[in-house]
Amino acid sequence: MDNTCATSCADQDRIAWLRLRSVALPLATPISDAKVLTGRQKPMTEIAILIAELETRDGHQGLGFSYSKRAGGAGQFAHALEVAPNLLGENPSDIARLWDKLCWAGASVGRSGLATQAIGAFDVALWDLKARRAGLSLARLLGSHRDSVRCYNTSGGFLHTPLDQLLKNTDISREKGIGGIKLKVGQPDWALDLHRVGAVRQHLGEAFPLMVDANQQWDRPMARRMCRRLEPFELVWIEEPLDCYDAEGHAELVRQFDTPIATGEMLTSPAEHLEFIGLRAADYLMPDAPRVGGITPYLRVQTFAEQAGISLAPHFAMELHVHLAATHVCEPWVEHFEWLEPLFEERLEIRDGRMWVPSRPGLGLTLSERVAGWTVQQAEIGQRA
């Protein structure tokens, strides 16, 4: 088939079939951060995953996912199922237009949060399909700046982890080739936070990258006090020292302290990120593609941040974010979480402190057979080719 024919056929292709799954992915150990110790949440035992699979009349396929922690999985599935028929018969290459179409189909419940997080699974699947059809990795399709990105581990540093195990976990991460360690802080006893951070800093040495994350559990006076006491530890950043919507408070901390301030993972739209960018309220902005509604809105956030000279460090979902981080102009950090690994057959390559971008087409992911056993709801729309 010549290039003219191939282009024409692709332009005439249409979405014919979709499958949605709501998956309850179990965690090996109940997870606690500062929100649990302050009584605002219970320990997390599973993650709700929304999986979208697409297929066109010509047999091209795409795989996408979104997620929710603790609550919201059933709501995401219900919303996705309601708006999914709007994709049937559409050209899968029209990704931005289709995002808007799905968004306006449910606009009365908002253009952020659960509604757009449900759309995010479709959006990721459409980008995966487009890259697969082109025979390119997602990073190459979007335009990458690098073949690997710096990575740091979070999953070994939660507050439920005793200090001796915390130190062992840092050794395990370094042996895997991970290039940074993040610890959870924000306990009611702030002295215990400082003790744990000090012990890990001593264990790692002065030069190894170390971050901390308070998960929004300090008020402004406590955040100022803790940022001041954490300055001597030479941290890469202090994450979410304040409520995720307190842009002015974060901006004050950015101006006052040398240690960089990071936030943004809980924001659910480009508009919310734009407020932080406008106020210079973060040294590191941490968008989460599934939470903002997929790759399409994530790229808007990335453009805003790059124009303002703000660094990015995307949150969670490393299987997706390793591709997006490779397209950042400035060197990013990607968060290493092994929690989603059971969903897929493939594993990311990590060495020399870096996570390597898969060269396989699309996201480079195929679903594991184990997904069927964790599926709590599923539905098919349309007919397969």
Side-chain angles (χ1 to χ4, degrees), residues 18 20 79-90 101-102 122 381:
L18 308 94
L20 289 169
H79 189 80
L81 182 61
E82 192 168 7
V83 301
N86 289 281
L87 291 175
L88 292 178
E90 290 283 5
K101 182 178 183 180
L102 293 175
F122 297 123
I381 302 165

Side-chain angles (χ1 to χ4, degrees), residues 50 52 64-67 76 79-80 83 87 95-96 98-103 110-127 264-273 286-301 315 320-321 324:
L50 175 64
F65 65 92
S66 189
Y67 74 93
Q76 285 187 0
H79 189 80
V83 301
L87 291 175
I95 300 176
L98 294 180
W99 196 96
D100 285 345
K101 182 178 183 180
L102 293 175
C103 181
R111 286 185 277 175
S112 64
L114 184 149
T116 50
Q117 288 163 13
I119 294 172
F122 297 123
D123 186 78
V124 173
L126 287 166
W127 279 106
E265 69 179 65
M266 297 302 297
L267 304 181
T268 60
S269 70
E272 292 170 1
H273 286 83
M286 312 182 88
D288 181 314
R291 278 189 177 159
V292 298
I295 295 168
T296 299
Y298 179 97
L299 294 175
R300 295 172 189 159
V301 175
H315 167 257
L320 168 58
H321 288 134
L324 301 182

Side-chain angles (χ1 to χ4, degrees), residues 328-339:
H328 297 178
V329 172
C330 298
E331 176 77 1
W333 282 94
V334 170
E335 190 169 26
H336 177 272
F337 264 105
E338 69 277 6
W339 294 355

Side-chain angles (χ1 to χ4, degrees), residues 13-18 54-57 87-93 98 126 129 383:
D13 201 8
R14 296 294 183 267
I15 299 170
W17 173 86
L18 308 94
L54 308 177
E55 187 171 288
T56 70
R57 295 172 185 169
L87 291 175
L88 292 178
E90 290 283 5
N91 188 323
S93 294
L98 294 180
L126 287 166
L129 187 155
Q383 294 184 342

Side-chain angles (χ1 to χ4, degrees), residues 214-269:
N215 287 113
Q216 309 177 71
Q217 296 310 294
W218 296 329
D219 58 19
R220 289 191 184 186
M222 179 58 75
R224 288 193 295 269
R225 183 176 297 115
M226 289 301 293
C227 285
R228 186 173 299 110
R229 290 178 177 270
L230 288 167
E231 290 269 56
F233 296 111
E234 296 294 331
L235 302 174
V236 177
W237 67 60
I238 299 170
E239 184 174 335
E240 286 196 323
L242 296 167
D243 183 88
C244 68
Y245 294 117
D246 186 0
E248 291 184 357
H250 281 91
E252 177 186 322
L253 296 178
V254 168
R255 291 190 296 268
Q256 189 171 357
F257 296 102
D258 292 336
T259 303
I261 301 299
T263 193
E265 69 179 65
M266 297 302 297
L267 304 181
T268 60
S269 70

Side-chain angles (χ1 to χ4, degrees), residues 322-369:
V322 66
H323 288 275
L324 301 182
T327 72
H328 297 178
V329 172
C330 298
E331 176 77 1
W333 282 94
V334 170
E335 190 169 26
H336 177 272
F337 264 105
E338 69 277 6
W339 294 355
L340 300 186
E341 286 184 342
L343 294 172
F344 308 111
E345 295 292 344
E346 298 80 9
R347 295 292 177 268
L348 293 172
E349 179 184 357
I350 297 173
R351 54 183 166 85
D352 302 325
R354 305 181 70 81
M355 186 180 296
W356 294 78
V357 182
S359 59
R360 299 177 297 272
L363 294 174
L365 298 174
T366 52
L367 290 177
S368 165
E369 293 182 357

Side-chain angles (χ1 to χ4, degrees), residues 277-324:
I277 293 169
L279 291 174
R280 309 292 302 185
D283 297 292
Y284 284 91
L285 200 60
M286 312 182 88
D288 181 314
R291 278 189 177 159
V292 298
I295 295 168
T296 299
Y298 179 97
L299 294 175
R300 295 172 189 159
V301 175
Q302 178 177 319
T303 299
F304 296 155
E306 288 177 348
Q307 289 176 341
I310 294 176
S311 298
L312 293 183
H315 167 257
F316 199 57
M318 63 183 184
E319 292 83 358
L320 168 58
H321 288 134
V322 66
H323 288 275
L324 301 182

